[in-house]
Amino acid sequence: MTLGSFRAFALAFMASFYGIAGAQAQGFTPHVSGEADLGLYGVSTVNAKDSDRRGTSLYIWGEVATGFHIAPGLSLQTVVMFEPIGEGDALGGFPADGVIGFRRQSAFLEAFFAEWKPDDVLTLYGGRFVAPFGRGHHDFPGILTRIRAHEVQMVGDALGVGGTWNFLSDPHFGEHDISAAAFTLDRTFLSSTWLTRRRCCDERYERYNRNTEQQGGPANNGQMDSFALSLDGDKFDFAPGLSYQLSLVSRGVAKEDGTAREWGYSAALRYEQRWSAAHRTLFFAEAVQFRNADGRPRFQTDDGEETTIAEQRNFITLGAQHRIDDWRGTLAWQRDQRKRSVDTLPTENYLEASIGRDIGRGFGLDVGYQYGRQVIEESGQLGTTHAVLARLSWRGGF
């Protein structure tokens, strides 16, 4: 399916929405709902072999989601994302023994799609969205765990259509959903960034003022030949507190630099044990693998020969969080392994421990420590970092 045929499909899709909505609109009042999940983050690297990483970085990271409910079952959903878009900044950046505040801070539309729920078990949508692949970037506890998953495994900038079907709802065997989406990389005006804007393709930045063909990357080919599938389940009578997700993504070959289709696989488990009314423990684990990561891009060696980078990227998260009323303590380990045919990179590991508390009116405060084995930019070798972490968060609806 080409972008032209997608636009025609989207117009027909919306026309059917409004036709059905008009027939059902009696007694319905259009309204707006929303939810915010925002955090002010501070990362102070007190010791690092890489001197550029030493220092303090402050930034805002999070999202504001809004639903414009037009008619029964019909809505327009938007998500505005706030994050730094400079390389490395979302995990502390390169303060070079100083203090940097909101450097390369930006915002953009992470999602903008029409959603239709014809009944209680089926949801259809079309527009710009995050593909249904992986779950850690949505719900990892801790301070930096979710941000790192957001950078490594989230499949965003997807333009296309998708849906979710609740195919099994049983008191004993639980609730099970299957989600599917077909998409291409969004190169429309909806992919524009705000606040900090840079033209493609400065390597110091992770996003540009608008997605273009020139920047390359998987699914960046103008064709609706990328897809994602996800299977989710929870609410088991025989295992209360258990949930799982299995997902698959395949992104098409980019016209600019790609030579192969990228494949991704993920498996996630969560289990919450309630010990008493005040005490509960959440265990979480997720493993993600990308084969032909980044679409096996072309690469020019130091002697001028052209080859391709065949990469298998593995991203693993293990952790636990214990809560006592409004208090919480989290311990998490993450590994980012990139097995490459050329231009090799060592495996990075992160261990994070934090303690936090809900302080009222939707606000929360968390402080923690992170031990990291990270790549040193200049040498490409591993270096050790020790960092103090802090987050002032706010979550609420409107």
Side-chain angles (χ1 to χ4, degrees):
M1 181 184 288
T2 65
L3 279 176
S5 59
F6 166 70
R7 293 190 185 100
F9 174 82
L11 289 173
F13 196 49
M14 289 300 297
S16 67
F17 277 175
Y18 283 103
I20 295 172
Q24 296 180 340
Q26 293 183 357
F28 176 84
T29 301
H31 61 281
V32 178
S33 64
E35 187 175 17
D37 182 359
L38 296 169
L40 172 62
Y41 288 75
V43 179
S44 184
T45 303
V46 296
N47 185 282
K49 189 173 181 179
D50 186 353
S51 60
D52 284 345
R53 292 187 183 274
R54 289 196 295 263
T56 300
S57 177
L58 301 171
Y59 55 90
I60 294 173
W61 193 90
E63 62 185 32
V64 177
T66 307
F68 301 89
H69 301 270
I70 304 166
L74 175 64
S75 64
L76 180 65
Q77 301 290 329
T78 67
V79 177
V80 177
M81 185 71 198
F82 297 86
E83 67 175 37
I85 59 171
E87 182 66 34
D89 278 352
L91 301 178
F94 303 105
D97 277 321
V99 177
I100 56 176
F102 312 105
R103 180 182 292 181
R104 300 170 183 168
Q105 183 73 51
S106 189
F108 55 92
L109 270 176
E110 188 169 86
F112 185 85
F113 59 89
E115 181 181 86
W116 178 39
K117 296 185 176 182
D119 53 44
D120 292 338
V121 300
L122 182 64
T123 301
L124 302 173
Y125 55 86
R128 174 182 170 85
F129 52 85
V130 175
F133 176 78
R135 65 177 292 178
H137 54 278
H138 289 300
D139 57 18
F140 273 158
I143 298 179
L144 296 184
T145 51
R146 186 157 63 109
I147 296 180
R148 190 171 289 111
H150 194 275
E151 293 189 338
V152 174
Q153 70 184 56
M154 192 190 81
V155 179
D157 288 313
L159 181 69
V161 294
T164 299
W165 174 38
N166 177 220
F167 67 93
L168 177 62
S169 179
D170 183 86
H172 182 67
F173 293 107
E175 301 272 347
H176 300 267
D177 301 329
I178 187 166
S179 301
F183 60 93
T184 187
L185 184 80
D186 180 16
R187 300 200 303 240
T188 71
F189 71 95
L190 295 176
S191 67
S192 300
T193 54
W194 314 320
L195 304 179
T196 299
R197 297 167 59 85
R198 291 292 185 274
R199 290 186 178 181
C200 180
C201 295
D202 189 335
E203 293 183 355
R204 295 173 299 175
Y205 291 83
E206 297 170 346
R207 295 187 64 89
Y208 308 108
N209 58 2
R210 180 169 170 173
N211 289 339
T212 64
E213 182 178 327
Q214 180 187 357
Q215 74 193 51
N220 190 0
N221 57 16
Q223 303 293 318
M224 293 278 287
D225 62 351
S226 299
F227 62 89
L229 295 170
S230 179
L231 177 65
D232 298 77
D234 60 5
K235 299 180 182 178
F236 301 97
D237 179 62
F238 57 88
L242 177 67
S243 65
Y244 75 89
Q245 185 193 69
L246 301 171
S247 53
L248 162 73
V249 68
S250 180
R251 291 190 279 187
V253 181
K255 291 183 178 179
E256 181 68 20
D257 64 346
T259 63
R261 174 174 284 272
E262 179 191 71
W263 291 87
Y265 314 90
S266 78
L269 277 175
R270 288 169 66 96
Y271 176 69
E272 184 177 69
Q273 174 65 53
R274 290 187 173 269
W275 310 100
S276 66
H279 290 259
R280 62 188 186 275
T281 304
L282 173 67
F283 302 94
F284 55 96
E286 185 169 40
V288 178
Q289 182 180 95
F290 290 100
R291 292 181 178 271
N292 291 327
D294 295 324
R296 199 163 185 164
R298 299 180 182 89
F299 177 79
Q300 191 167 7
T301 63
D302 293 336
D303 56 10
E305 294 185 7
E306 185 174 286
T307 182
T308 60
I309 300 179
E311 178 179 331
Q312 177 180 299
R313 189 168 190 176
N314 302 305
F315 184 64
I316 300 171
T317 301
L318 295 173
Q321 181 181 79
H322 185 73
R323 283 182 170 268
I324 306 174
D325 290 325
D326 292 334
W327 289 89
R328 56 184 170 266
T330 307
L331 181 66
W333 167 74
Q334 292 182 301
R335 166 173 284 187
D336 188 4
Q337 181 185 57
R338 307 180 71 171
K339 298 180 179 180
R340 286 180 160 190
S341 57
V342 294
D343 193 30
T344 58
L345 293 171
T347 299
E348 297 188 324
N349 286 272
Y350 304 89
L351 182 65
E352 177 186 312
S354 66
I355 186 169
R357 188 181 191 278
D358 297 329
I359 55 179
R361 297 184 180 274
F363 286 94
L365 181 64
D366 295 82
V367 294
Y369 161 79
Q370 177 182 266
Y371 169 84
R373 291 284 288 167
Q374 298 173 269
V375 175
I376 300 173
E377 290 295 310
E378 293 185 357
S379 67
Q381 302 301 310
L382 280 178
T384 299
T385 62
H386 301 270
V388 177
L389 314 176
R391 177 185 61 193
L392 176 64
S393 60
W394 182 74
R395 296 182 177 90
F398 56 90

